[in-house]
Amino acid sequence: MEIKPSRRGLHVLMSLPNILTFIRILAVPVLVICFFFDTLAARRVALIVFIAAGITDFFDGYLARLWSQQSALGRMLDPIADKLLVVVCLFMLTAIGTIGGIHLCAAVIILSREILVSGLREFLAELRNVVPVSTVAKWKTAIQLTAIGLLVARPASDTLLVWTSNAGLVGLWCAAILTLYTGYDYLKAGVDHITKKDEE
C-alpha cells in the first residue's frame, strides 16, 4: 500500500532512528538542569542521561542503515544532536570548574573544530561534495564521549575511583589531538574546492 505524502512525512518523522535522535536532543536540557544541582544524586542522573544519549548516537545510525530508514531529516538532525550534547556538556563542565586551567585548551580545540566542521559541511553541501567519516573520526568521537562521561561522573565516582577525573582529562586531550587530525580532512576539502572555484 502506497503511503500518501502527508503520511510519508509522519512515517519518516516517527521512525525509530529519528526518535532516538530526538531523544538525544531532549537529553541536553535534562543534563543542564542536573548540573545546576550540586548533589551526588543529580550528577548520577546526569551520568545516566549522558550514557543513554551516547548509546542512541550509535543505534540511530546503525538502525537507519540496517532498516534502510535513512532520511534527509536524520542526516540533518544527527550531527546537530551530537554537537549539542558535546558543546553543552563542555560548557557546563567548564562552568562548574571540572574543566579548568590548561585543560580549557583541549575544550577550546574541540569546540573550535565543531564550529569549523559545521561551516565546512554547509559549504561543501552546497557544492554537493561529501567528506566521508573516517575510522579515526569514529575513534575520536568514542574517546571524546568517554572522556566527557568520566568528567560528568566525577563527584559520584571519585569516592570509589579516584583516577576518574584524571582519566577524563587525559581522554579529553586525546580527543583534542584527534580532533586536529580529523579536522584537517574537512579543512583540506574546503580549501581545495574554494581554490578550484576561484580558478574557474
Side-chain angles (χ1 to χ4, degrees), residues 26-37 46 49 84 88-89 92:
L26 292 174
V28 173
V30 176
L31 284 168
V32 172
I33 293 171
C34 289
F35 276 115
F36 277 109
F37 294 93
V49 171
L84 279 174
V88 168
C89 281
M92 296 305 295

Side-chain angles (χ1 to χ4, degrees), residues 9-197:
L10 182 61
H11 176 74
V12 171
L13 184 68
M14 297 306 295
S15 67
L16 182 57
N18 285 342
I19 290 175
L20 292 175
T21 303
F22 287 129
I23 290 174
R24 191 155 73 258
I25 293 174
L26 292 174
V28 173
V30 176
L31 284 168
V32 172
I33 293 171
C34 289
F35 276 115
F36 277 109
F37 294 93
D38 189 21
T39 64
L40 288 178
R43 193 57 71 87
R44 288 190 180 112
V45 172
L47 178 60
I48 292 171
V49 171
F50 182 83
I51 292 173
I55 292 173
T56 67
D57 185 28
F58 169 78
F59 278 105
D60 59 3
Y62 174 76
L63 293 177
R65 292 186 296 271
L66 180 66
W67 295 340
S68 298
Q69 291 184 344
Q70 294 167 306
S71 64
L73 178 64
R75 287 191 293 271
M76 178 190 73
L77 288 180
D78 186 62
I80 291 174
D82 294 344
K83 286 174 175 53
L84 279 174
L85 184 65
V86 170
V87 170
V88 168
C89 281
L90 288 177
F91 270 126
M92 296 305 295
L93 289 168
T94 299
I96 63 176
T98 301
I99 299 175
I102 191 65
H103 304 298
L104 284 173
C105 294
V108 169
I109 290 172
I110 292 172
L111 293 174
S112 298
R113 187 263 190 189
E114 298 298 343
I115 296 171
L116 173 66
V117 168
S118 294
L120 286 174
R121 273 179 174 165
E122 183 176 348
F123 172 73
L124 294 173
E126 293 177 359
L127 301 176
R128 297 183 179 180
N129 187 292
V130 178
V131 178
V133 178
S134 65
T135 302
V136 177
K138 292 178 181 179
W139 275 105
K140 185 272 300 180
T141 299
I143 294 172
Q144 183 172 275
L145 290 176
T146 301
I148 294 175
L150 289 171
L151 294 174
V152 170
R154 178 181 175 180
S157 62
D158 273 1
T159 54
L160 298 175
L161 302 171
V162 294
W163 49 264
T164 300
S165 298
N166 291 334
L169 293 173
V170 169
L172 196 68
W173 276 105
C174 291
I177 293 170
L178 291 177
T179 284
L180 292 174
Y181 179 81
T182 57
Y184 173 76
D185 293 336
Y186 287 97
L187 183 60
K188 184 177 182 299
V191 170
D192 287 346
H193 281 82
I194 289 172
T195 304
K196 290 179 182 178
K197 192 171 182 180

